Amino acid sequence: MVLNIAERHKLILKKLEENEFVDVSDLSKEFNVSLVTIRKDLKVLEEKNLLFRSHGRAFLKNPYTTDYHVNFKKQLKTDEKVRIAIHAGQILKPHDSIIIASGTSVIEFAKHLKPTAGLTVLTASLNVALILSEKPNIDIIQLGGILRNSSLSVVGSISEKMLSEFTFTKLFLGVDGIDLEFGLTTTSAMEASLNKEMIKAAQKIIVLADSSKFGKKGFGRICGLDDVDQIITDTGIDEKTKNRLFELGIEVTIV
């Protein structure tokens, strides 16, 4: 059965509502039309603002993130971030030395963190340092460097050099995007560079990310998913993504 243009477009949008993305090659085979025809279909739908194209795929939602100010981002997915933060706090053990990166998920983590005996925290986030300064029995190391106004955190060579002087048991990392192929990303190249050094300095890499971060990409690539030990997220994660993360050997905690 040969489908006309309108029928193809309707089916493409239906598939996108059911899945995170669709592949050009898969649509070409299913509809028995050329790759060129499918690309034209997707271009027309994109021009109508019904989908987004990227690297041979189409997405219902824009896969690219924007560098919003931390004060705006903290209003998004607040309930999910609180649940993620509370669970992350339960991972801490006595005499842990941890890195808390930057972002609204780790700020929430700092708010709900209950200090364990001998806890040492190094952070790039000014907000995190201020929150933890009001809690007892935590040794806090604030990274120095260039202040990013949008995240109220530091980046740059000074921060990276400081990190090389320490080793840590855990890194709690917030991200702007998690792509199954491209890995972890953030909207800042300098922040991505600092996050790379944090990963080198820590024994266990724990990502705190609400489910809206999956299928998204930021400007700066932090690392591939093979560097990640655990992801703590919410129930909005889709089954396909969850299963793929399990296949990669990542511990996925859903709260």
Side-chain angles (χ1 to χ4, degrees), residues 191-225:
E191 186 171 278
S193 179
L194 179 60
N195 289 160
K196 286 183 174 74
E197 296 304 313
M198 290 178 173
I199 288 170
K200 292 178 185 177
Q203 296 173 20
K204 185 173 184 179
I205 314 305
I206 303 163
V207 177
L208 310 184
D210 68 77
S211 56
S212 70
K213 303 296 176 64
F214 292 100
K216 296 279 188 177
K217 289 181 183 178
F219 176 72
R221 184 175 187 267
I222 299 169
C223 68
L225 289 175

Coordinates of all heavy atoms in Angstrom, one line a residue, residues 191-225:
E191 N 32.4 25.0 31.2 CA 31.9 24.1 32.2 C 32.1 22.7 31.9 O 32.4 21.8 32.8 CB 30.4 24.4 32.4 CG 29.8 23.7 33.6 CD 28.4 24.1 34.0 OE1 28.3 25.1 34.6 OE2 27.5 23.4 33.5
A192 N 31.9 22.3 30.6 CA 32.2 20.9 30.2 C 33.6 20.5 30.5 O 33.9 19.4 30.9 CB 31.9 20.8 28.7
S193 N 34.5 21.4 30.2 CA 36.0 21.2 30.5 C 36.2 20.9 31.9 O 37.0 20.0 32.3 CB 36.8 22.3 29.9 OG 38.2 22.1 30.2
L194 N 35.6 21.8 32.8 CA 35.8 21.6 34.2 C 35.2 20.3 34.7 O 35.7 19.5 35.5 CB 35.1 22.8 35.0 CG 35.2 22.7 36.5 CD1 36.6 22.6 37.0 CD2 34.4 23.9 37.1
N195 N 34.0 19.9 34.2 CA 33.3 18.7 34.5 C 34.2 17.5 34.2 O 34.2 16.5 34.9 CB 32.0 18.6 33.8 CG 30.9 19.5 34.4 OD1 29.9 19.8 33.7 ND2 31.2 20.0 35.6
K196 N 34.9 17.6 33.0 CA 35.8 16.5 32.6 C 36.9 16.3 33.7 O 37.2 15.1 34.1 CB 36.5 16.8 31.3 CG 35.7 16.7 30.1 CD 36.5 17.0 28.8 CE 35.8 16.7 27.5 NZ 34.7 17.8 27.3
E197 N 37.4 17.4 34.3 CA 38.5 17.2 35.3 C 37.8 16.7 36.6 O 38.5 16.0 37.3 CB 39.1 18.6 35.6 CG 39.9 19.2 34.4 CD 40.9 18.2 33.9 OE1 41.7 17.7 34.7 OE2 41.0 18.0 32.7
M198 N 36.6 17.1 36.9 CA 35.9 16.5 38.0 C 35.8 15.0 37.9 O 36.0 14.3 38.9 CB 34.5 17.1 38.2 CG 34.6 18.6 38.6 SD 32.9 19.3 38.7 CE 33.2 20.9 39.4
I199 N 35.5 14.5 36.7 CA 35.3 13.1 36.5 C 36.6 12.4 36.7 O 36.7 11.3 37.4 CB 34.8 12.8 35.1 CG1 33.3 13.2 35.0 CG2 34.9 11.4 34.7 CD1 32.7 13.3 33.6
K200 N 37.7 13.0 36.3 CA 39.1 12.4 36.5 C 39.4 12.3 38.0 O 40.1 11.4 38.4 CB 40.1 13.2 35.8 CG 40.1 13.2 34.3 CD 41.2 14.1 33.7 CE 41.1 14.2 32.2 NZ 42.1 15.1 31.6
A201 N 38.9 13.2 38.8 CA 39.3 13.3 40.2 C 38.4 12.4 41.1 O 38.7 12.3 42.3 CB 39.2 14.8 40.7
A202 N 37.3 11.9 40.6 CA 36.4 11.1 41.4 C 36.4 9.7 41.1 O 36.6 9.2 40.0 CB 35.0 11.7 41.3
Q203 N 36.1 8.9 42.2 CA 36.0 7.4 42.0 C 34.7 7.0 41.4 O 34.6 6.0 40.7 CB 36.3 6.7 43.4 CG 37.7 7.0 43.9 CD 37.8 6.4 45.3 OE1 37.0 5.6 45.8 NE2 38.8 6.9 46.1
K204 N 33.6 7.6 41.8 CA 32.3 7.2 41.4 C 31.6 8.5 40.8 O 31.5 9.5 41.5 CB 31.5 6.6 42.5 CG 30.1 6.1 42.1 CD 29.4 5.3 43.2 CE 28.1 4.8 42.7 NZ 27.3 4.0 43.7
I205 N 31.0 8.3 39.6 CA 30.3 9.4 39.0 C 28.8 9.2 39.1 O 28.3 8.3 38.5 CB 30.7 9.6 37.5 CG1 32.2 9.4 37.3 CG2 30.2 10.8 36.9 CD1 33.0 10.4 38.2
I206 N 28.1 10.1 39.8 CA 26.7 10.1 40.0 C 26.0 11.3 39.3 O 26.3 12.4 39.7 CB 26.4 10.0 41.5 CG1 27.1 8.8 42.1 CG2 24.8 9.9 41.7 CD1 27.2 8.9 43.7
V207 N 25.1 11.0 38.4 CA 24.5 12.1 37.7 C 23.1 12.3 38.2 O 22.3 11.3 38.4 CB 24.3 11.8 36.2 CG1 23.6 12.9 35.4 CG2 25.7 11.6 35.5
L208 N 22.8 13.5 38.6 CA 21.4 13.9 39.1 C 20.7 14.6 38.0 O 21.1 15.7 37.6 CB 21.5 14.8 40.3 CG 22.5 14.3 41.5 CD1 22.4 15.3 42.7 CD2 22.1 12.9 41.9
A209 N 19.7 14.0 37.4 CA 19.0 14.6 36.2 C 17.6 14.2 36.2 O 17.2 13.0 36.2 CB 19.7 14.1 35.0
D210 N 16.7 15.2 36.1 CA 15.3 14.9 35.9 C 15.1 14.3 34.5 O 15.9 14.5 33.6 CB 14.4 16.1 36.2 CG 14.6 17.2 35.2 OD1 14.0 17.1 34.1 OD2 15.2 18.2 35.5
S211 N 14.0 13.7 34.3 CA 13.8 12.9 33.0 C 13.7 13.9 31.8 O 13.9 13.4 30.6 CB 12.5 12.1 33.1 OG 11.4 13.0 33.4
S212 N 13.5 15.2 31.9 CA 13.4 16.1 30.8 C 14.8 16.2 30.1 O 14.9 16.7 29.0 CB 12.9 17.4 31.2 OG 13.8 18.1 32.0
K213 N 15.9 15.8 30.8 CA 17.2 16.0 30.3 C 17.6 14.9 29.2 O 18.5 15.1 28.5 CB 18.2 15.9 31.4 CG 18.0 17.0 32.5 CD 18.2 18.4 32.0 CE 17.9 19.4 33.1 NZ 18.8 19.4 34.2
F214 N 16.8 13.8 29.2 CA 17.1 12.7 28.3 C 16.7 13.1 26.9 O 15.7 13.7 26.7 CB 16.4 11.4 28.7 CG 17.0 10.8 30.0 CD1 16.3 11.0 31.2 CD2 18.2 10.1 30.0 CE1 16.9 10.5 32.4 CE2 18.7 9.6 31.1 CZ 18.0 9.8 32.4
G215 N 17.6 12.7 25.9 CA 17.3 13.1 24.5 C 17.7 14.5 24.2 O 17.4 15.0 23.1
K216 N 18.3 15.2 25.1 CA 18.7 16.6 24.9 C 20.2 16.7 24.7 O 21.0 15.8 25.2 CB 18.3 17.5 26.1 CG 16.9 17.6 26.4 CD 16.2 18.6 25.5 CE 14.8 18.9 25.8 NZ 14.2 20.0 25.0
K217 N 20.7 17.7 24.1 CA 22.1 18.0 23.9 C 22.4 19.5 24.2 O 21.7 20.4 23.8 CB 22.5 17.7 22.4 CG 22.5 16.3 22.0 CD 23.0 16.2 20.5 CE 23.0 14.7 20.0 NZ 23.4 14.7 18.6
G218 N 23.5 19.7 24.9 CA 24.0 21.0 25.1 C 25.2 21.3 24.2 O 25.7 20.3 23.5
F219 N 25.7 22.5 24.2 CA 26.8 22.8 23.4 C 28.1 22.1 23.7 O 28.9 21.7 22.8 CB 27.1 24.4 23.5 CG 28.2 24.9 22.7 CD1 28.2 25.0 21.4 CD2 29.4 25.3 23.4 CE1 29.3 25.4 20.6 CE2 30.5 25.7 22.7 CZ 30.4 25.8 21.3
G220 N 28.4 21.9 25.0 CA 29.7 21.3 25.4 C 29.5 19.9 25.8 O 28.7 19.6 26.7
R221 N 30.3 18.9 25.2 CA 30.2 17.5 25.6 C 31.1 17.3 26.8 O 32.3 17.7 26.9 CB 30.7 16.6 24.5 CG 30.6 15.1 24.8 CD 31.0 14.3 23.5 NE 30.7 12.9 23.7 CZ 31.6 12.0 24.1 NH1 32.9 12.4 24.4 NH2 31.3 10.8 24.2
I222 N 30.6 16.7 27.9 CA 31.3 16.4 29.1 C 32.0 15.0 28.9 O 33.2 14.9 29.1 CB 30.3 16.3 30.3 CG1 29.7 17.7 30.5 CG2 31.1 15.9 31.6 CD1 28.5 17.7 31.5
C223 N 31.2 14.0 28.6 CA 31.8 12.6 28.5 C 30.8 11.7 27.9 O 29.6 12.1 27.7 CB 32.2 12.1 29.9 SG 30.8 11.8 31.0
G224 N 31.2 10.5 27.6 CA 30.3 9.5 27.1 C 29.7 8.8 28.3 O 30.1 8.9 29.4
L225 N 28.6 8.0 28.0 CA 27.9 7.3 29.1 C 28.8 6.2 29.7 O 28.4 5.8 30.9 CB 26.6 6.8 28.6 CG 25.6 7.8 28.2 CD1 24.3 7.2 27.6 CD2 25.2 8.6 29.5

